Amino acid sequence: MGMNLLGLSHDAARLRRIAAILRDGMGEGDAPIPAVVELLNRALRPVTVLSVLALVALAFVDPARYAAGVAALTATPPAIWALCVLVLALHFLVPAVHRPART
């Protein structure tokens, strides 16, 4: 589905259709895709907190497995840690942009 010089109008039509799907959903009766994305966005923070609590609980429930997981984390290169910190910082520290609902 690459863009070529002879098919620019077809590619532009495809891009308009993709934008319409992202904006309005797949059709009548289907939930709009932005609502699904918003649901995932809102669920991300509670899931993150619960997973950290589950990790702490794992230390008490299965110490050997917890030790193996921590040993694996110590082998992670510093560049990967820096990328993880950057992504988490951007996610939690940048204020969310609230757009008015379309009518």
Side-chain angles (χ1 to χ4, degrees):
M1 193 165 119
M3 196 179 254
N4 59 26
L5 293 177
L6 299 176
L8 283 177
S9 63
H10 296 294
D11 289 333
R14 283 189 199 114
L15 291 174
R16 281 193 299 276
R17 175 68 182 137
I18 290 169
I21 288 172
L22 290 174
R23 184 182 61 245
D24 303 326
M26 292 298 290
E28 287 298 320
D30 289 341
I33 292 175
V36 174
V37 171
E38 182 65 23
L39 175 69
L40 290 173
N41 188 26
R42 289 181 183 268
L44 186 61
R45 290 181 188 193
V47 167
T48 304
V49 170
L50 291 174
S51 63
V52 168
L53 293 175
L55 183 63
V56 171
L58 182 64
F60 293 101
V61 174
D62 191 358
R65 187 181 218 182
Y66 180 80
V70 171
L73 287 175
T74 59
T76 304
I80 299 297
W81 283 116
L83 182 63
C84 290
V85 166
L86 176 67
V87 168
L88 286 173
L90 288 175
H91 178 74
F92 287 108
L93 298 178
V94 174
V97 176
H98 296 288
R99 296 187 182 112
R102 294 180 186 207
T103 55

